[in-house]
Amino acid sequence: MSEYREGPGPAQIVRPYGDTTGDGRIQVSFTLPVPFGTPTQQARAEGAAMQLAAKMGLEPAMVVHAKGMGPDYTFFIVYGRVSHLVDLSQVQVTEREFPLLSSAEVNLRIRSHLGRKLIVVGACIGTDAHTVGIDAILNVKGHSGEKGLEYYREIRVVNLGSQVAVPDLVARAGAEGADAVLVSQVVTQRDAHITNAKEMSAAFDAAASEPEAPARPLLVVGGPRFDPAMAAEIGVDKIFGKGTTPGEVASYLAYALAPDSETPEAA
Ligand code: B12
């Protein structure tokens, strides 16, 4: 393992860079339930923030921004130095397990493997009304310069929108003969995204265990604060996190549901 050193290059041990290379300076923001009204309250609030910064190992530290958030809360930005080192050799990255395909390749895979359109049912479940993410994946206009799944000739998309109850999602997926169910969860307060996703996967498992029920569809969950490594724990097949593009999702669907093709891939 190489040692920490100043300057550019492939060092394995690195420190944060604030004002100068390797100075260990970082910036953190947080909110405390303390008022920021009178000068005395402001001094106490900043003192509270400094105490937290010291306990977090920021030394020296400085409150560079403090702002009252309503009568009882204060938002802070603290700038300070940490002594911790980052060992890049210990960083674990989940590699994408499927190749990225063009839309033509995805269509060809589906056509030659399934011989019919691949059916995708999408929804934002629970009380979550944040539809921009799932729409970015499903709607033809897409995201990040990539067309959404509706654009794919061999994919039929049923977008149920927001605040869909899990029993309704299960029923609709069954009625549509869904090959894959795509669920979005953006609100994460009290881990609602995890609870809701687990409830959803359990409901699909239960439906699939009924006599003569069709196989459980592929379950795909997405949202900005999901950890993609949690799929097994949540009981789904795949999790996509922040910054996902429609092409990645289409490629995964082809990989998972139309894995082999006897015919050569389209250009
Ligand atoms: C727009 C927005 C809204 C809009 C939503 C409009 C709509 N039709 O979607 C409105 C104003 C309605 C709204 C309401 C609320 N919001 Co809001 N909202 C946002 C905001 C600003 C942007 C979200 C967004 O559209 N991002 C853009 C999309 C493209 O990104 P994305 O969602 O991450 O999706 C990408 C990936 O995650 C992934 N993905 C997402 N889903 C899926 C699904 C699948 C299957 C796959 C494969 C991939 C995938 O692919 C997408 C493309 O890359 C965020 C803050 C932020 N900057 O993120 C807050 C935010 C999400 N909202 C928040 C909150 C608290 C609320 C409210 C509770 C506020 C309130 N008190 O009323 C309500 C809740 C309403 C409800 N019932 O859900 C909080 C959530 C905090 C938390 N920890 O949960 C946030 C983070 C703001 C904050 N910092 O406080 N909100």
Side-chain angles (χ1 to χ4, degrees):
M1 190 162 52
S2 58
E3 306 241 313
Y4 169 74
R5 59 188 157 69
E6 302 285 325
Q12 283 298 298
I13 306 291
V14 297
R15 286 179 195 270
Y17 174 165
D19 298 324
T20 55
T21 306
D23 64 7
R25 306 286 165 151
I26 65 165
Q27 182 172 295
V28 291
S29 65
F30 52 86
T31 301
L32 290 176
V34 292
F36 198 68
T38 66
T40 306
Q41 286 175 331
Q42 292 180 10
R44 273 180 67 82
E46 294 203 5
M50 288 295 285
Q51 185 188 120
L52 181 63
K55 287 179 176 173
M56 291 166 68
L58 283 162
E59 176 61 46
M62 184 188 292
V63 175
V64 293
H65 179 70
K67 188 170 191 302
M69 307 290 287
D72 302 321
Y73 295 83
T74 307
F75 173 76
F76 301 95
I77 299 176
V78 172
Y79 188 67
R81 179 181 180 278
V82 289
S83 55
H84 311 295
L85 303 174
V86 176
D87 183 349
L88 296 180
S89 71
Q90 298 300 310
V91 175
Q92 293 189 349
V93 177
T94 310
E95 300 288 346
R96 182 165 35 76
E97 72 277 29
F98 55 90
L100 280 183
L101 304 176
S102 69
S103 56
E105 289 168 333
V106 169
N107 285 329
L108 183 59
R109 284 268 193 111
I110 295 170
R111 201 162 53 241
S112 52
H113 187 82
L114 294 184
R116 59 167 173 80
K117 291 196 179 197
L118 187 148
I119 300 165
V120 168
V121 171
C124 202
I125 60 172
T127 58
D128 203 330
H130 293 87
T131 49
V132 180
I134 187 81
D135 287 346
I137 303 299
L138 298 180
N139 288 0
V140 68
K141 67 184 175 196
H143 186 64
S144 292
E146 293 182 7
K147 300 281 191 194
L149 301 190
E150 285 176 351
Y151 170 78
Y152 290 69
R153 217 177 29 243
E154 301 298 334
I155 299 180
R156 186 165 78 81
V157 173
V158 181
N159 187 347
L160 302 181
S162 69
Q163 302 193 326
V164 177
V166 166
D168 295 342
L169 176 65
V170 174
R172 187 67 183 271
E176 298 287 349
D179 298 294
V181 172
L182 271 56
V183 159
S184 181
Q185 287 287 270
V186 174
V187 173
T188 59
Q189 284 155 336
R190 296 193 177 85
D191 281 342
H193 60 313
I194 294 173
T195 312
N196 290 344
K198 283 182 174 171
E199 183 199 337
M200 183 270 301
S201 67
F204 274 101
D205 282 343
S209 68
E210 294 288 323
E212 297 182 34
R216 192 190 87 160
L218 192 78
L219 299 182
V220 179
V221 161
R225 295 199 190 172
F226 272 112
D227 175 357
M230 289 182 74
E233 185 187 326
I234 289 177
V236 298
D237 297 290
K238 182 76 181 165
I239 293 179
F240 285 94
K242 60 179 185 293
T244 303
T245 67
E248 290 174 309
V249 180
S251 298
Y252 171 70
L253 294 177
Y255 161 83
L257 294 168
D260 302 311
S261 176
E262 300 302 317
T263 52
E265 310 248 294

